[in-house]
Amino acid sequence: MNKTDELDMITRLRSEVIRSRELTGENLFLAWGYPTAIVLFLEFMALLLWNEDWCSWLWVVIPLIGVPLMMYFINEDYGRTHHRTLDQNVILMMWCFIGGASCIGGAAMGFAGVFPQCYCSYQCLLCGMGCFMTGIILHFRPKIVCGVTASLLSVLPLFFQDERWPWQMLIGSIITIIALIIPGHLFRRYVKNSIAQ
C-alpha cells in the first residue's frame, strides 16, 4: 500500500467516525443564544429610542429564527446517526419543556398583568437552569458554572421596573450570552477537540 492509499484510507476512516459519532447537539445552544441575545439587545435599543408598544413585540422574532435553526441541527444530527441515547433524549425533552414553560408562563403573566415586571427574570432563570442541568447530564463543568451564574443573575431584572424597564432587555441579553452563547462555544470547541483526537 503506497502513501496515497494510506492517506485516502485515513481520510475515509476519519469521515466515517465523524458521521457515526454520538449526537452532541453542540450547535443548539448557539442556535437559540445568538437570536435571543441580539433580539433582546435590539428591543432594548428600540425601547430607548422610540418607547412605543410595538418595540416590546420584537421578541416574536426569536422563535421565528430559533425554531427552524433548532429543527435543522436536530435533523442533521439525527440524519447522521439515526439514534439517540437516553441522555440526549432527556436533554431534548428538558429543553422542549423549558420552551413550553417559557411560552405558557409568559401568557399567564400577560393575563395576570405582571409580564413587564417578571418575564425577563423568569426566562433568564429557565435558561440558567437548563444550562446547569445540561452540564450535569453531560458532565461538562463550564455549562454547570455558566448555568449557576445565569440563574443567580436572573434576579437582576426585577430591580429594573417602570421607566427603567427597557434595561431588563439589556440584562436579559447579557444573561443569555452567559447561559447559552459562552457555554455553546466552549462545548463546540470541546466536541471538535474530541473528534480530532
Side-chain angles (χ1 to χ4, degrees), residues 125-145:
L125 179 63
L126 287 175
C127 280
M129 288 170 50
C131 181
F132 172 76
M133 291 305 298
T134 304
I136 292 286
I137 294 167
L138 296 176
H139 308 290
F140 189 66
R141 190 169 291 150
K143 282 192 180 188
I144 296 170
V145 171

Side-chain angles (χ1 to χ4, degrees), residues 67-82:
V67 170
L69 278 176
M70 179 183 75
M71 296 310 297
Y72 170 77
F73 288 126
I74 288 173
N75 287 333
E76 183 182 65
D77 270 356
Y78 190 70
R80 190 181 65 242
T81 62
H82 301 293

Side-chain angles (χ1 to χ4, degrees), residues 6-143:
E6 287 176 8
L7 287 173
D8 286 344
M9 188 174 78
I10 290 169
T11 305
R12 195 168 52 252
L13 286 172
R14 186 175 185 279
S15 64
E16 283 176 20
V17 168
I18 290 170
R19 273 198 312 274
S20 64
R21 71 182 167 86
E22 201 173 80
L23 296 175
T24 57
E26 68 266 17
N27 294 312
L28 293 179
F29 268 52
L30 301 176
W32 281 103
Y34 276 108
T36 304
I38 291 168
V39 169
L40 286 177
F41 181 75
L42 291 175
E43 191 170 340
F44 162 71
M45 294 300 293
L47 284 165
L48 281 185
L49 291 172
W50 298 292
N51 199 20
E52 298 285 338
D53 286 342
W54 65 265
C55 300
S56 59
W57 284 94
L58 287 174
W59 67 269
V60 173
V61 176
I62 297 170
L64 293 177
I65 297 171
V67 170
L69 278 176
M70 179 183 75
M71 296 310 297
Y72 170 77
F73 288 126
I74 288 173
N75 287 333
E76 183 182 65
D77 270 356
Y78 190 70
R80 190 181 65 242
T81 62
H82 301 293
H83 74 282
R84 288 193 186 103
T85 65
L86 177 62
D87 285 352
Q88 293 154 355
N89 277 326
V90 168
I91 292 169
L92 186 60
M93 292 301 109
M94 178 187 67
W95 280 101
C96 288
F97 176 81
I98 287 171
S102 180
C103 293
I104 292 167
M109 288 176 199
F111 286 118
V114 294
F115 184 90
Q117 293 85 6
C118 304
Y119 186 71
C120 192
S121 284
Y122 175 69
Q123 189 174 15
C124 290
L125 179 63
L126 287 175
C127 280
M129 288 170 50
C131 181
F132 172 76
M133 291 305 298
T134 304
I136 292 286
I137 294 167
L138 296 176
H139 308 290
F140 189 66
R141 190 169 291 150
K143 282 192 180 188

Side-chain angles (χ1 to χ4, degrees), residues 146-184:
C146 288
V148 169
T149 305
S151 297
L152 291 173
L153 291 175
S154 68
V155 298
L156 282 179
L158 294 173
F159 295 100
F160 293 86
Q161 303 293 337
D162 302 324
E163 70 277 354
R164 295 184 302 162
W165 178 69
W167 290 90
Q168 283 192 12
M169 304 304 113
L170 180 61
I171 294 167
S173 181
I174 293 167
I175 293 173
T176 300
I177 292 169
I178 294 168
L180 297 176
I181 295 175
I182 292 172

